[in-house]
Structure formats: structure tokens, C-alpha cells
Amino acid sequence: WFAGQVIVSRLLCLHPGTNKEFVTAAYRAKAKVSMSRFEPTSFVNYERLQSNVEIVRKRLNRPLTLSEKIVYGHLDDAHNQEIERGRTYLRLRPDRVAMQDATAQMAMLQFISSGLPKVAVPSTIHCDHLIEAQIGGAQDLARAKEINQEVYNFLSSAGAKYGVGFWKPGSGIIHQIILENYAYPGVMLIGTDSHTPNGGGLGAICIGVGGADAVDVMAGIPWELKCPKVIGVRLTGTLSGWTSPKDVILKVAGILTVKGGTGAIVEYHGPGVDSISCTGMATICNMGAEIGATTSVFPYNHRMRTYLEKTGRGQIAALADEYSDLLVPDEGCKYDQIIELNLDELKPHINGPFTPDLAHPVSKIGAMAEKNSWPLDVKVGLIGSCTNSSYEDMGRAASVAKQALDKGLKCKAQFTVTPGSEQIRATIERDGYSKILSAVGGVVLANACGPCIGQWDRRDVKKGEKNTIVTSFNRNFTARNDANPATHAFVTSPEIVTALAIAGTLNFNPETDYLTAPNGEKFKLVPPSGDELPARDFDPGQDTYQHPPADGSSLNVEVNPQSNRLQLLEPFDKWSGSDLENMVVLIKVKGKCTTDHISAAGPWLKFRGHLDNISNNMLIGAVNSENDAVNKIKNHLTGEYGGVPDVARHYKASGVSWVVVGDDNYGEGSSREHAALEPRHLGGRVIIVKSFARIHETNLKKQGLLPLTFSNPSDYDKIRPDDKISIRGLKTFTPGKPLTAVVKHSDGSEETLQLNHSFNETQIQWFQAGSALNRMKQLQH
């Protein structure tokens, strides 16, 4: 404790604005759990948060939503910041950064390129994306450590040198680790993963970003975010029976669709909130990424206090109680949109296939499947993932499994279980849940993302074979889980997944339908039950955290020039100072184009640290409007057809710039900035679409590309695959002023189209410098 006080005193000297009472209380709370994981400066100074909120409330002269309190409470300059929802850009000071290993590689390579000696805010790296599900947890983890040794060594050594904490492979999924250790009411955290909003279940504003945004925050530069609108979801009633927290977001996704939350924070409130556990609230916030929301958040309540106490942070809970008025919305605050949801009336849902917003009540999915010729047989049921791998989730799934076992039944489908963290794995093993789930036919996988992100060596069906899987994951885009475009993936709660895996068919409603035991007895499953938190304390399991040394400046971070996994970055070229003339259309994309279509995951994850190698997957999943084919486009220099990356490389080698034309909500899904880095690396200049997903649009700007939208969305139809496009107006490029596209058709005719953009002054400087990283370096000199 004395050593802790010395650390606190030293930190107060380094950070004179830090609230000593809060730091000390927070330190006491975390000291019980792990001395090494805790960094007192990572905790919000509630006094500063309150001061900023009071300044802004007086300036705006109105009550504030909870989202506004936390976001505006982190303003760099609360006195002078222009604030208008949906219009102005906010300059913010997040409290910490978290990076998963697949995106951390590029983020750390960019940080190394910045030339800075150490991160300015507490930051962590989490090894969860590179572990492929194949046999079972222990074997798969050992195999991953061997295959990815070079990458893990790079991330570990880079973390040590630059002051970043390192969670080793096997520690668990980034979002579960954040919830267990770093999230708390009122914190602002950014993470290089689109499901970072998971932390909203603990009253935090946690936002998914690209690696270049993370670099800004780690460099101590104010982070920019367009002032979000706020969508209020008012919950009444109480969750009960087969209805779970997952059903709240499945229902909301059906209402708002995959782009309905774009540019907004979804704020849950109302009397129904108290019937949802803290980890259940995290589930709801996590999947808010699927509606395009900036993030989602719940108000502080007794459920969060209990979770903080159970995870060794009772003193933080006590302080949150003192500042509770700061951690809930003001009475009379206004939302841009209100959704009313009565939990008493909410039924279990299942969403899919191929998109997470196609919502169905479980009671109707069998009929819908028959009507649409979706395969009824469930081949695999998969529970876990960052969305649904809490102690409560596993307990409720186990309670369903035990009922089947007691009647002599096992799963008809294959069944996999992914614990969210080492702490969850160890605790469910100690408390018998793992034994039940294994006995019913489950295979317990490593504490990692696994099949949810395509890290699944699936062998029970051939590629192209039509089949159905049900998961408790968050995302179900075409081919996402197993690289098979014919797999129909449905997302639902862990308990419904378990029930459907036992029944082996979509045509089963556990609320009304009967199962048949081996002895012929018909029986009905009773609604699941499960403790919110373990009666005994959590078992932390193995210690998998590496704290950075106090001074890592003498350490070396080596990248082998011959490596096919890692590659140091070269700066992108600056803007020439002229308009962009006569660019070819690389591809005109038809329909949905997620970041999975632009830069696939799965087997490509191994190249996330090597820009040139991973660029070989650029847009290979996008549908070409010319021929409805994937990865088959015309090379307008040779007249031959080839793969998208191959044609792009040929254009680049020939000095020909190119554009991509896309549809609505272009770039939805993951935060992966590779979907922006790859087009820039292969010679792309402009992406013109009907509308963008938030994170992808920002990522494109960060890498010096021009993300533009058709002023008239129907102008998309005017673009032909063999057009030449010039972008005019760049010499007078200013915020709010549209640019012009001159489109030359091959028949000699021309059309002029107006293109809108959302660039502000700072972002225009990124474009002119060639990238945000280039601009950062300019400002250092």
C-alpha cells in the first residue's frame, strides 16, 4: 500500500489536474486485483468531468443527455468548443486506448512512424484475433502462439518500448477484458475494434475507431468526432422467461436497420433498465455497432455498482455513487429520436441471414425459413463471442443444456463454446458450467474471437454448400464466419442457440414446442436461469498481463525486412496541388459493401501487419455492377479481366489513378483501417458512394483519400464502368463546399455531378499532406 501511495504521489506530480481522492480510491480498489494492470491516470477525473459539464450546460442553457455529459465532459476546450449535434466536430481528450492484435499491428507501426517516444495516455494491446478455432481451446492456443510468434513478439516488444500494456494470447477478448478491468461509469475510451461500445454496459462512452485515430490519442493530440446526435431508447417493463438482453438489440436493429444509428449515440433509459444485468447491458451496447451507432450507453445504476464490486472495484463504485447525478441523464433532456420498448411484451428474436437487421421472432423463424428456402437443419450452434460470453450468459445456456442432459439428450447440431476471458473460463470451469456444456456436446474453444470473426477451420461442409448455423455473435455478413458464401448465419441469444442446437432445427420454438427424449417421453424446456454474477468471487485464472517497464526507451523493436507478416510503413505521397484528372473507375460496387467485402478477415488476418501483402485482398468480396461477379473486373488499359487487386496494381504501376464507386452505407461493419489503407496503397484517390458508415469514412480521410457522396443518390446510376472521372474544386477545397465530378463517357459525352463531403479544416490538411500521419509529422517540425 505504501508503494501504491508513492506511485499515486508521483502521478499527481506528473498530472497535477488528477483528483487525488479518486486516484487513491481507485488504486485501493484495483490493488486487490492486480497491481500490474492498474494505471491510476487511466481513470477519469470526476471533478474535471463535472466542471466541463457545468460549463457546457450553462452555455447551452438546457438539460443534457447522459451521452452529452460524458462526451462534452471530455472536451479539450469546454469554454470555446462549438457544439451542435450532427454538425460540428468536437475536439476530445479520451482517457485511454485499447487495441486488439489484428489492428494493433498497423496502429503500432503508425505510432513508430510518428517518432514519438511513448504513449501519452494509458493504452493496452489485446491478443484475441489471431487464434483459429480448430480442435479445442488448449491445442488451438498453442498452435496460434507458434504460428503468430513473430507478431506477438512485435506487439509485446513495441508495447514495452512505448509504454503499452500487453494482454497475452489466451487472456480473452478485448471487450470482455475492458469491461472486467478498465471500463467504469463516465470514462471515455477509444478502441481499434468496432465493438468497443461494449463498455457502455458499465456507463462508459467507448467508441470504435481506426488505428490512425488511436495514434492521435496515444500521441496526446485532441481526437476529433462529429458531434453525435442522440437516439433515446426508453425501456419499460421487465425481462423474463426466454427473453434476454440480446433480444433488446435484435429488436432495435430490426427497427433502425444497419444504418439507422449512423452519426448517433444510442442512449437507453427508463424503468426497464433496472431489470437488465450489467453484462446484459454490455451485450446490447456491443451489438449497437450493427446499426451504425457511434456508441451506446446505459445510465449508472445498482447493477453496475454490483459488477464493479464483484470485479474488485468497490471503491470506484462508491465514488460513482457520490457523482451519480453526473452519470445519468438530466431530467427533461431532449433526444433526436425516441424508441419505446416494453420488455414485458418483447419476445425472443433471431436475426438473419446475411445481415444483422433482418429481425424475426423465434416463434416465426421456422415458417420464414421454409418460405424463403433457408436450410432448416442447424449444422452448428456457437455460443460466446465478445457479445455474449458473460458468466450469466454461460449459466443460462448451461441451464438449458442440463435439462436436455437430464432427459438423456445431447445436441443434434455441432456445438461450440467461446469463453470471453480467462476469468470467465476459469470461473465457469470451477462452477461446473463447462462440464455441462461439454457433456451436451459442446467443444470449449480458446478465450478469443474465433469463429465470430472467421477464425474457424470449419470442415463439416464444403465451400458452396448451403447450410444454416446459429450463433450468439453480433455480425452475420455473407461468408463472415466460415468463408462459405452459402452459409446462412443467424444471430440470437446463447440460450436460444443452445435450444436450437439441441433440437437441430430452426423450426423449434422453445416457448411452445416439445422435445422427445430417447425413451420417447415428450418434454418442454423450462425458461433458462442463471446467476448474474458468481456467488463466490471470480476466479482470475492464469495471469496473462504484461505491464510495460517504467522506461522502455533502451528497448529495440525489430521488423525483419524479409517478413511476410510485418512491414514498416512508407509515407503516402502528398496532394499534387491540382485537381484529380481522368481517373479510371476501378470498380462500381453493387449493393452491400462492408469492410469484410473490402478487406476480408479470416485467413487474411495473418497479413494485418504487412500492408503490401494484405492489399491482395482489396475488394475481392465486392460485387461488380458490370457483371455481378466478385473479384472480376475489366482492366481498361489491357481490355482483359482480372482480380481487383491485380488490376489496381497494374494501374498504379502505369501511373493511372483510380476511383471506387459504391452504394449505401459503404464500409459498414468492422473498424479495420486496412479497408482504407489498401486502396491508398494501391493507387486509389477517391471513393464516391451514396452514403458511408462513420468509422470507414474517417479512416479514408486519415489515409489521404477523398470520401465523397453523390449530392443526388440517383447519380450513382449515371456512372459507367469505363468512365473517366475528374474531381474539380480541390484548389478551393473548404468545409461545406461541394466538389464537382466531371464524368467522361466512352461515347464522348460528358456529365457534371455535384459531390458532397464532410471534411473540416483539419481533415482537409490531412488530405493535402497525404495522410493524417504525414500532417502529424509536419507539425512536429
Side-chain angles (χ1 to χ4, degrees):
W1 172 241
F2 174 76
Q5 287 297 297
V6 173
I7 293 170
V8 169
S9 301
R10 195 172 295 162
L11 286 163
L12 289 167
C13 294
L14 292 172
H15 303 275
T18 304
N19 178 330
K20 180 176 180 179
E21 177 191 4
F22 186 65
V23 167
T24 305
Y27 186 84
R28 283 195 189 107
K30 288 294 284 188
K32 293 189 297 182
V33 183
S34 169
M35 290 276 289
S36 62
R37 295 176 192 176
F38 177 59
E39 297 136 310
T41 52
S42 72
F43 291 99
V44 144
N45 178 342
Y46 276 9
E47 289 180 354
R48 183 172 185 273
L49 189 71
Q50 189 166 50
S51 172
N52 273 2
V53 167
E54 287 171 359
I55 291 166
V56 172
R57 190 188 283 118
K58 186 179 283 187
R59 284 182 54 203
L60 298 182
N61 193 29
R62 62 171 174 79
L64 301 177
T65 67
L66 170 60
S67 312
E68 291 180 305
K69 287 182 179 182
I70 303 176
V71 172
Y72 304 161
H74 285 83
L75 286 170
D76 183 50
D77 182 357
H79 287 284
N80 299 303
Q81 171 71 60
E82 188 183 1
I83 300 170
E84 184 182 333
R85 289 187 198 168
R87 189 184 70 81
T88 58
Y89 280 87
L90 306 178
R91 290 167 61 82
L92 301 165
R93 292 284 185 179
D95 299 299
R96 70 177 303 126
V97 172
M99 300 167 278
Q100 41 95 336
D101 49 357
T103 50
Q105 295 170 64
M106 199 57 71
M108 291 310 295
L109 286 165
Q110 289 177 88
F111 188 81
I112 291 168
S113 296
S114 76
L116 295 169
K118 193 171 184 178
V119 296
V121 301
S123 304
T124 47
I125 293 167
H126 303 259
C127 294
D128 61 1
H129 269 58
L130 300 179
I131 303 166
E132 184 182 51
Q134 191 178 66
I135 302 166
Q139 302 98 312
D140 293 345
L141 178 59
R143 180 168 168 264
K145 285 179 177 178
E146 182 181 343
I147 291 171
N148 302 308
Q149 183 179 10
E150 179 187 10
V151 171
Y152 292 148
N153 287 346
F154 166 73
L155 292 173
S156 172
S157 61
K161 182 172 180 65
Y162 296 105
V164 179
F166 180 70
W167 288 84
K168 300 171 187 176
S171 58
I173 305 171
I174 177 172
H175 311 303
Q176 184 68 32
I177 298 292
I178 289 170
L179 200 71
E180 292 171 355
N181 295 275
Y182 301 124
Y184 69 93
V187 75
M188 175 176 271
L189 177 150
I190 67 164
T192 60
D193 189 279
S194 57
H195 293 108
T196 301
N198 191 78
L202 205 40
I205 289 291
C206 299
I207 301 176
V209 299
D213 275 342
V215 171
D216 279 356
V217 178
M218 291 191 293
I221 296 170
W223 174 61
E224 286 198 339
L225 176 72
K226 184 175 260 190
C227 188
K229 294 184 176 182
V230 188
I231 297 172
V233 179
R234 186 172 186 273
L235 303 177
T236 55
T238 305
L239 286 178
S240 62
W242 282 91
T243 306
S244 74
K246 184 67 163 282
D247 297 306
V248 174
I249 185 58
L250 294 174
K251 178 70 173 178
V252 170
I255 294 168
L256 285 175
T257 77
V258 290
K259 64 175 186 175
T262 303
I265 293 176
V266 179
E267 184 173 310
Y268 294 86
H269 62 283
V273 165
D274 286 342
S275 75
I276 306 172
S277 67
C278 176
T279 52
M281 290 187 258
T283 290
I284 294 166
C285 292
N286 176 295
M287 200 176 155
E290 270 46 77
I291 56 174
T294 300
T295 191
S296 302
V297 69
F298 277 83
Y300 179 62
N301 68 359
H302 70 282
R303 300 278 194 154
M304 296 182 191
R305 182 195 311 122
T306 303
Y307 184 80
L308 286 168
E309 290 167 348
K310 268 292 185 184
T311 51
R313 295 172 286 174
Q315 294 286 349
I316 298 171
L319 201 61
D321 285 345
E322 286 181 38
Y323 286 91
S324 59
D325 287 349
L326 192 60
L327 305 172
V328 295
D330 287 342
E331 193 171 333
C333 67
K334 300 296 183 188
Y335 296 98
D336 294 285
Q337 179 182 350
I338 286 276
I339 294 171
E340 299 269 358
L341 208 55
N342 185 342
L343 302 180
D344 290 333
E345 299 171 358
L346 184 64
K347 288 293 185 181
H349 272 64
I350 183 168
N351 289 21
F354 306 121
T355 185
D357 58 350
L358 187 57
H360 321 274
V362 170
S363 59
K364 296 180 180 176
I365 189 63
M368 285 296 295
E370 288 180 331
K371 178 183 173 184
N372 292 285
S373 299
W374 301 333
L376 278 172
D377 288 349
V378 174
K379 290 287 188 184
V380 191
L382 305 98
I383 66 169
S385 88
C386 65
T387 318
N388 276 116
S389 57
S390 67
Y391 185 81
E392 181 182 40
D393 288 328
M394 295 300 175
R396 284 171 67 88
S399 78
V400 175
K402 189 172 189 307
Q403 293 179 59
L405 285 171
D406 288 347
K407 297 291 186 180
L409 275 184
K410 290 191 174 186
C411 290
K412 286 186 180 177
Q414 290 184 40
F415 188 48
T416 71
V417 180
T418 303
S421 68
E422 170 61 10
Q423 180 165 280
I424 292 293
R425 182 209 61 77
T427 307
I428 66 171
E429 193 169 292
R430 179 197 70 192
D431 293 352
Y433 292 166
S434 294
K435 186 176 181 181
I436 294 168
L437 294 169
S438 296
V440 84
V443 175
V444 179
L445 301 175
N447 314 322
C449 302
C452 183
I453 60 160
Q455 284 284 46
W456 183 16
D457 184 19
R458 187 180 182 193
R459 298 184 179 182
D460 63 298
V461 295
K462 294 175 182 174
K463 192 166 182 177
E465 183 180 336
K466 203 171 172 182
N467 73 100
T468 285
I469 64 173
V470 290
T471 82
S472 69
F473 304 162
N474 42 41
R475 203 165 273 165
N476 59 346
F477 301 141
T478 302
R480 176 175 172 85
N481 302 124
D482 61 0
N484 181 3
T487 293
H488 292 55
F490 295 85
V491 291
T492 185
S493 66
E495 46 268 54
I496 294 293
V497 171
T498 307
L500 295 180
I502 292 165
T505 176
L506 285 178
N507 199 15
F508 177 74
N509 177 9
E511 290 188 300
T512 58
D513 295 345
Y514 287 79
L515 293 167
T516 305
N519 65 3
E521 178 192 351
K522 302 272 189 185
F523 72 98
K524 211 168 86 166
L525 295 168
V526 300
S529 61
D531 291 337
E532 178 178 344
L533 294 162
R536 292 183 278 172
D537 284 343
F538 280 107
D539 181 342
Q542 298 177 36
D543 185 8
T544 54
Y545 178 71
Q546 171 189 296
H547 194 67
D551 180 6
S553 58
S554 62
L555 301 176
N556 291 321
V557 180
E558 293 184 7
V559 175
N560 184 343
Q562 275 72 52
S563 172
N564 72 347
R565 298 286 304 268
L566 297 164
Q567 180 187 48
L568 292 173
L569 297 173
E570 295 292 331
F572 291 131
D573 59 318
K574 293 182 187 177
W575 172 54
S576 66
S578 302
D579 288 337
L580 300 173
E581 299 285 349
N582 294 315
M583 295 176 289
V584 298
V585 176
L586 177 70
I587 182 173
K588 181 181 176 183
V589 177
K590 178 181 178 181
K592 186 185 278 282
C593 190
T594 70
T595 47
D596 281 85
H597 294 86
I598 303 167
S599 176
W604 291 95
L605 283 167
K606 64 168 109 27
F607 298 124
R608 284 281 181 87
H610 196 294
L611 180 55
D612 194 56
N613 282 348
I614 200 168
S615 293
N616 288 323
N617 78 356
M618 185 191 73
L619 287 160
I620 61 175
V623 176
N624 181 6
S625 66
E626 182 185 12
N627 54 13
D628 285 341
V630 294
N631 203 28
K632 185 180 180 183
I633 61 171
K634 189 173 184 178
N635 183 327
H636 294 292
L637 298 182
T638 66
E640 297 173 355
Y641 281 83
V644 182
D646 301 323
V647 174
R649 286 185 187 278
H650 186 256
Y651 287 157
K652 181 182 179 182
S654 304
V656 175
S657 297
W658 49 263
V659 307
V660 169
V661 177
D663 215 313
D664 258 323
N665 208 29
Y666 184 88
E668 71 171 279
S670 163
S671 70
R672 66 192 68 150
E673 66 181 337
H674 299 78
L677 282 159
E678 293 172 32
R680 185 72 164 99
H681 176 63
L682 295 186
R685 291 294 181 182
V686 186
I687 313 292
I688 309 170
V689 301
K690 293 180 182 178
S691 65
F692 284 103
R694 174 190 65 87
I695 300 176
H696 186 59
E697 182 180 22
T698 301
N699 287 346
L700 291 168
K701 292 176 183 177
K702 287 276 186 181
Q703 303 307 335
L705 284 149
L706 280 176
L708 305 173
T709 55
F710 294 106
S711 180
N712 182 353
S714 64
D715 285 347
Y716 166 89
D717 298 320
K718 295 177 180 177
I719 305 294
R720 303 171 192 170
D722 56 355
D723 285 343
K724 296 283 182 67
I725 298 179
S726 299
I727 302 297
R728 305 276 168 81
L730 291 175
K731 291 181 181 178
T732 55
F733 191 12
T734 50
K737 182 181 177 182
L739 296 171
T740 299
V742 177
V743 182
K744 295 179 184 175
H745 300 308
S746 57
D747 61 9
S749 62
E750 282 190 10
E751 295 192 62
T752 300
L753 310 178
Q754 182 174 295
L755 302 176
N756 297 332
H757 67 84
S758 61
F759 281 80
N760 62 23
E761 290 284 3
T762 300
Q763 294 167 346
I764 290 171
Q765 290 171 356
W766 299 343
F767 167 72
Q768 292 168 339
S771 70
L773 190 58
N774 288 0
R775 180 60 181 157
M776 185 194 298
K777 288 182 179 176
Q778 287 177 353
L779 293 173
Q780 288 175 21
H781 299 302

